[in-house]
Amino acid sequence: MGLSKDQKILIHGGAGGIGSIAIQLAKHMGADVSTTVNVNDKQFVQELSAERIIDYKSQKFEDLLHDYDAVYDIIGGDTHKTSFKVLKKGGILISMLEHPNSELMQQYGVKATFQFTQVNNERLTKLAQWVDQNNIRINVDRTFSLDETGYALDYQKDVHPRGKVVITV
Ligand SMILES: NC(=O)c1ccc[n+]([C@@H]2O[C@H](COP(=O)([O-])OP(=O)(O)OC[C@H]3O[C@@H](n4cnc5c(N)ncnc54)[C@H](OP(=O)(O)O)[C@@H]3O)[C@@H](O)[C@H]2O)c1
């Protein structure tokens, strides 16, 4: 998304597997980070240094945040549509779930993109360097063995872990 120092970004679902790393990447780039989480996860994202933490069940992020440079959406649906409102003109909305809605893009004068995970050596090497340099901390919520993969998927779905669930091979 071309995020740069001091730009304001809203990251939805900041306590999850993707969100918890997105917060740290954005902070590493010097951005000002707001995030939406479940109330039980507030302390966890505070430790990741998010500036503003919004309880998505009791607060409306669109009433609290305005003129944002970027939104990172891993929730989709209404959260995705409402996110257009917090962007300033020329801002960008990246979603892991929703394809760009050209009507909303035009209405708010912003860009929107769908992102699909694309893993390659260069990106993984860069990420590994950032982990080695302690720029990113990976919170492993729980580890399962390969033959427990089914339980791991249920755990991810039902328990909503903080950070990542790992399967050891
Ligand atoms: N496009 C791609 O390439 C790609 C790649 C990987 C994953 N994905 C998708 O991205 C999504 C997120 O993946 P993940 O691994 O980060 O999931 P995750 O670890 O389950 O994290 C999701 C987080 O979002 C929170 N949440 C739920 N509803 C919310 C709302 N309305 N507002 C704000 N936060 C909310 C959850 O909190 P609660 O505990 O309160 O529910 C949870 O902490 C999944 O749907 C996944 O399928 C897409």
Side-chain angles (χ1 to χ4, degrees):
M1 58 173 53
L3 196 65
S4 52
K5 195 171 173 322
D6 296 330
Q7 284 195 320
K8 292 193 294 184
I9 181 170
L10 165 62
I11 295 170
H12 286 299
I18 296 177
S20 60
I21 290 174
I23 291 177
Q24 296 177 75
L25 287 176
K27 292 293 303 176
H28 181 58
M29 290 165 188
D32 173 294
V33 177
S34 295
T35 187
T36 53
V37 293
N38 188 323
V39 68
N40 305 327
D41 291 325
K42 275 190 165 183
Q43 198 187 333
F44 175 64
V45 288
Q46 220 155 24
E47 285 164 15
L48 302 178
S49 306
E51 268 87 13
R52 256 155 264 93
I53 300 164
I54 297 163
D55 167 9
Y56 76 84
K57 288 189 179 161
S58 70
Q59 294 177 291
K60 288 186 167 185
F61 67 86
E62 67 274 25
D63 291 344
L64 302 170
L65 312 176
H66 305 283
D67 294 323
Y68 267 57
D69 297 284
V71 177
Y72 192 58
D73 165 41
I74 58 125
I75 306 298
D78 287 342
T79 301
H80 176 79
K81 283 193 199 123
T82 310
S83 292
F84 281 86
K85 293 186 184 170
V86 311
L87 287 169
K88 68 180 189 191
K89 281 220 179 333
I92 184 162
L93 169 55
I94 303 242
S95 180
M96 301 292 281
L97 293 158
E98 304 278 355
H99 287 275
N101 178 322
S102 47
E103 224 171 89
L104 289 172
M105 278 166 69
Q106 221 166 14
Q107 182 183 339
Y108 290 96
V110 301
K111 287 169 275 181
T113 313
F114 171 72
Q115 182 190 320
F116 197 79
T117 304
Q118 287 175 309
V119 176
N120 61 31
N121 266 351
E122 193 191 338
R123 288 173 183 181
L124 288 179
T125 302
K126 183 85 191 161
L127 276 175
Q129 280 168 355
W130 279 341
V131 172
D132 287 345
Q133 292 160 3
N134 285 328
N135 295 324
I136 304 175
R137 187 165 58 88
I138 310 294
N139 191 65
V140 177
D141 184 283
R142 198 166 153 187
T143 300
F144 293 85
S145 61
L146 184 60
D147 58 359
E148 293 173 324
T149 300
Y151 298 116
L153 289 170
D154 287 343
Y155 182 77
Q156 167 97 28
K157 191 157 56 91
D158 300 335
V159 179
H160 295 185
R162 292 189 183 127
K164 293 286 185 187
V165 172
V166 169
I167 294 169
T168 51
V169 180

